[in-house]
Amino acid sequence: MSEKTIALVTGANKGIGYEIAAGLAAVGMTVGVGARDPRRGEEAVARLRANGADAFLVPLDVTDDESVAAAAKLFEERFGHLDVLVNNAAVAGQWPTAPSATTPELLEVVMDTNVKGVIRVTNALLPLLRRSARARIVNQSSHLASMALQTSPDPAYGDVDGVYTPSKAFLNALTVQYANELTGIKVNASCPGYVATEFNDFQGHETPANGAKIAIELATLPDDGPTGGLFDSAGTVPW
Ligand code: NAP
């Protein structure tokens, strides 16, 4: 079994995921760059490697069982274990969609990536994570998914949406359940802030590198670090 710390970041060919991959490589990890489009993935890997990262491509569409199984096989054959999984890949759908305009079809597209994708990837890689002495799972969530913030009078959290926002709230609930089950693995959710990426037509006010910081911190938690929590770079975020 490889002694190196091995990480996988899903949806790492651009945006926050790319910066998470860069950050994990910067602390010495060997990083699998999950990308559903191999060409975009190869370009990202080339850029990371040009900056000194030990990075490699993991062709991975989180909505595709075969693709997920192939990714797990790649890690099994190459390393025999996995230490860090960052479930970052997600789609926004037609955000914001009012609950009254939400359709089962639209919900299915978003849930298939943002929730079922996380379950597919996590469960496929769990046997490899269980072989790690310091396994960490980070689920990329959002402040938008916080019920406490959504029901606060602060208009910054007042966007009404019946698809993406609930998908991330489901992910939060799932994070707690995984943490409760996987007592040997730290499982947390991260809120990157409002980050300028394609996700929001680059309207966010944070850089992707800043948005990546909390996921990197949760992926590198010490053994006495928390599990089953929701965090941003300032600390705990209320559920
Ligand atoms: P982004 O630049 O659009 O990146 C999204 C990534 O997910 C891309 O690499 C995309 O691949 C990938 N992806 C989408 N569907 C996929 C699938 N089925 N299989 C594999 N990869 C898939 O967005 P971002 O802003 O960096 O978002 C990253 C994460 O942060 C998401 O979980 C998002 O919900 C979360 N987040 C973002 C913000 C923000 O303000 N940007 C705020 C809160 C939370 P392609 O390049 O092939 O499309």
Side-chain angles (χ1 to χ4, degrees):
M1 189 190 294
S2 160
E3 293 307 315
K4 298 178 85 171
T5 301
I6 312 299
L8 168 62
V9 183
T10 69
N13 54 284
K14 67 183 182 191
I16 304 168
Y18 176 88
E19 295 295 341
I20 296 169
L24 296 182
V27 296
M29 294 189 196
T30 298
V31 182
V33 175
R36 63 177 163 178
D37 180 281
R39 184 187 55 78
R40 287 196 288 272
E42 286 289 12
E43 286 171 5
V45 168
R47 266 184 291 140
L48 287 163
R49 292 184 72 87
N51 291 325
D54 183 4
F56 63 97
L57 175 66
V58 181
L60 177 55
D61 181 337
V62 304
T63 65
D64 181 327
D65 287 336
E66 282 182 21
S67 172
V68 171
K73 190 161 177 266
L74 186 158
F75 280 92
E76 168 79 58
E77 291 178 352
R78 200 150 161 183
F79 306 107
H81 71 120
L82 180 67
D83 302 288
V84 169
L85 170 62
V86 182
N87 287 306
N88 170 76
V91 292
Q94 295 163 21
W95 191 88
T97 301
S100 58
T102 295
T103 62
E105 293 74 21
L106 187 51
L107 190 61
E108 175 53 28
V109 169
V110 172
M111 291 292 281
D112 198 26
T113 305
N114 299 9
V115 174
K116 294 183 195 173
V118 172
I119 294 171
R120 273 188 204 97
V121 173
T122 302
N123 290 355
L125 288 159
L126 258 184
L128 299 180
L129 286 160
R130 284 192 162 112
R131 290 183 202 154
S132 169
R134 303 186 74 191
R136 309 284 183 259
I137 298 172
V138 183
N139 293 331
Q140 187 73 281
S141 185
S142 170
H143 289 100
L144 294 175
S146 161
M147 303 283 191
L149 295 178
Q150 282 288 316
T151 53
S152 83
D154 184 344
Y157 299 107
D159 297 295
V160 175
D161 172 59
V163 182
Y164 171 80
T165 299
S167 81
K168 292 291 186 178
F170 195 122
L171 180 63
N172 285 353
L174 199 57
T175 300
V176 172
Q177 298 305 321
Y178 269 119
N180 288 347
E181 179 191 0
L182 306 175
T183 50
I185 300 176
K186 293 195 187 299
V187 188
N188 290 291
S190 50
C191 299
Y194 190 32
V195 179
T197 66
E198 271 181 49
F199 216 73
N200 49 34
D201 292 329
F202 301 95
Q203 295 302 302
H205 44 69
E206 284 290 353
T207 63
N210 275 343
K213 281 181 183 165
I214 183 59
I216 294 166
E217 190 180 328
L218 295 172
T220 55
L221 282 175
D223 289 343
D224 61 354
T227 189
L230 179 66
F231 300 93
D232 65 12
S233 52
T236 301
V237 175
W239 295 112

